[in-house]
Amino acid sequence: MESSLFRNRFHSEAPDDQKRFLEDNELPYKAISTSDFESIKDKLVQVARSLNQPSPNADSTFYKVPFEEVPELVAGRKVYIHKGQAYVPSTQLTFLVAGQFRSKLSKALVLTYRKWMSVISEEESDRLAPIVEALSSRYLGPDYSQGKIKSEVALQDMDDLAKTSFPLCMRHLFFKLREEHHLKHGGRQQLGLFLKGVGLKLEDALAFWRSEFGQKMGVERFDKEYAYNIRHNYGKEGKRTDYTPFSCNKIILSTPGVGDHHGCPYRHFSEENLRAALGSMHLGVRIVDEILEKVRNRHYQVACSLTFEATHGSQTIGINHPNQYFEQSRKILQPKVPQELANDNTETTTAS
RNA sequence: GGCGGC
DNA sequence: GCCGCCAACATA
Ligand code: SF4
């Protein structure tokens, strides 16, 4: 709650003040020359446009930094990269500075910090350490990316996760796919993006869908008809957009046709089907009736929350996104204990 | 699934 | 019949 304070403050600082801040603290970020700018201007404009942000003009400032230092920006394709250097616009400079604090302060990110330290030179790290130290004590703030930034999920764990942590809509799609070895377009989209959000990597996703679809049509046809779309959803084709999984709203407002299995069970199932579905996850009749009552009042998300609470024995802040449901569930079922912390208590500060 | 190309 | 490209948007 306080890092955002710092971030906002730094962000609202005038460009000149930001520049001075960096100089005062001897942070190794240098603005690129105007000639450098001109030579890659079209590329920078292209990136800005892809983020539908104002195109950089003649006097906008860009910083050239090793791309390893701004993983968020690189992963999000929010910066132009050339020869290992990321060209960070002053508007995103916050990531650089805020990142410094995080990597130094957050114990959960020790691993990231080490990686960072091994990338820059000895002299630099020696020179930077005291600075970062000073800055951190001054601008102490919470870890924006608490926990795992990019948790991954093994293909083999999918079945268990589906049973324990998937919201009913995804759980339903998942098992329908397992049983029919196929899903119509709407279902592929809804489940596919959700799984991506869960942490299933592209290669595993392809393997997963191919293993199912392959049974009913042969892998050759699968690669021909469906593989491309999966890669596209992962941002690996065409425009290369890393699509956000569907929200509850989108799902509830969708209109599944005959043969479709997507949509929100609370919204689209018949009462008897919903009752049966809820019954299949060992829920008492009492709570089930309570849930159906919410459904009658068209409070689908509330009904979903009730289901969550009944199956997890924990309160929720309301469900508005399937992946939020999943994340919440994991936090409860799998107490997160970063291994990094286990073998770390001994040598947090190696440089001397 | 939709759009588009041959 | 063969093929490419698109949609999405919650969080702390
Ligand atoms: S409420 Fe949202 S998450 Fe729960 S089932 Fe309906 S769509 Fe899925």
Side-chain angles (χ1 to χ4, degrees), chain A residues 167-170 248 251-252 264-266 300-301 304 319 321-322 325:
Chain A
L168 194 50
C169 58
M170 300 305 172
C248 287
I251 294 172
I252 290 174
C264 173
Y266 304 100
Y300 312 115
Q301 271 135 304
C304 188
I319 301 299
H321 195 295
Y325 183 111

Side-chain angles (χ1 to χ4, degrees), chain A residues 35-47:
Chain A
S35 60
D36 274 353
F37 175 75
E38 287 306 327
S39 67
I40 57 172
K41 178 172 180 176
D42 43 337
K43 290 293 186 183
L44 296 177
V45 173
Q46 207 172 65
V47 174

Side-chain angles (χ1 to χ4, degrees), chain A residues 18-210:
Chain A
Q18 292 183 346
K19 197 178 296 181
R20 191 176 313 124
F21 178 87
L22 293 182
E23 289 167 355
D24 288 352
N25 293 290
E26 296 179 43
L27 289 176
Y29 309 127
K30 311 175 192 72
I32 65 175
S33 65
T34 45
S35 60
D36 274 353
F37 175 75
E38 287 306 327
S39 67
I40 57 172
K41 178 172 180 176
D42 43 337
K43 290 293 186 183
L44 296 177
V45 173
Q46 207 172 65
V47 174
R49 190 168 44 193
S50 82
L51 296 168
N52 33 45
Q53 279 180 4
S55 310
N57 70 67
D59 51 32
S60 40
T61 316
F62 278 81
Y63 292 84
K64 183 163 65 174
V65 313
F67 78 98
E68 293 89 349
E69 297 189 33
V70 286
E72 300 98 326
L73 297 177
V74 176
R77 296 176 186 290
K78 299 185 190 304
V79 288
Y80 170 57
I81 299 180
H82 184 56
K83 294 188 175 177
Q85 298 294 307
Y87 291 79
V88 183
S90 54
T91 56
Q92 313 230 259
L93 200 54
T94 318
F95 279 91
L96 279 179
V97 187
Q100 301 276 331
F101 304 149
R102 257 182 293 154
S103 56
K104 178 56 181 176
L105 292 178
S106 174
K107 282 192 174 184
L109 289 180
V110 171
L111 189 66
T112 302
Y113 179 60
R114 288 217 181 115
K115 197 179 294 178
W116 181 72
M117 290 298 274
S118 67
V119 171
I120 62 180
S121 66
E122 291 269 328
E123 315 86 75
E124 274 181 323
S125 63
D126 279 7
R127 186 165 52 83
L128 246 56
I131 297 170
V132 176
E133 200 85 285
L135 290 176
S136 59
S137 59
R138 178 107 93 112
Y139 296 102
L140 177 61
D143 181 0
Y144 202 87
S145 60
Q146 55 134 307
K148 52 238 175 172
I149 291 181
K150 50 173 173 56
S151 64
E152 295 173 3
V153 161
L155 191 49
Q156 61 203 34
D157 302 334
M158 232 45 192
D159 245 283
D160 296 297
L161 289 175
K163 275 186 282 202
T164 66
S165 299
F166 282 19
L168 194 50
C169 58
M170 300 305 172
R171 183 188 152 97
H172 178 64
L173 279 170
F174 186 85
F175 290 113
K176 265 313 182 192
L177 168 58
R178 271 287 156 76
E179 136 184 5
E180 300 180 354
H181 309 301
H182 189 286
L183 278 187
K184 309 260 292 183
H185 182 265
R188 289 180 328 247
Q189 219 58 352
Q190 187 176 311
L191 180 61
L193 289 174
F194 169 77
L195 292 179
K196 175 168 65 97
V198 160
L200 188 65
K201 295 198 306 299
L202 176 58
E203 291 68 25
D204 292 330
L206 286 169
F208 172 65
W209 291 97
R210 176 159 43 217

Side-chain angles (χ1 to χ4, degrees), chain A residues 220-291:
Chain A
E220 31 60 302
R221 181 173 166 187
F222 168 83
D223 305 309
K224 191 191 295 178
E225 317 254 21
Y226 305 92
Y228 176 92
N229 295 294
I230 294 178
R231 289 194 304 269
H232 186 272
N233 278 352
Y234 272 75
K236 299 305 181 190
E237 295 285 10
K239 200 198 338 176
R240 314 202 96 221
T241 302
D242 190 358
Y243 294 97
T244 305
F246 292 151
S247 66
C248 287
N249 214 359
K250 170 104 180 168
I251 294 172
I252 290 174
L253 291 177
S254 69
T255 60
V258 262
D260 279 330
H261 295 296
H262 65 265
C264 173
Y266 304 100
R267 168 61 233 271
H268 304 290
F269 276 23
S270 66
E271 182 161 326
E272 50 249 304
N273 282 182
L274 181 54
R275 189 183 286 281
L278 291 172
S280 78
M281 28 190 203
H282 38 265
L283 284 182
V285 183
R286 305 179 304 255
I287 181 65
V288 171
D289 284 331
E290 199 179 326
I291 293 172

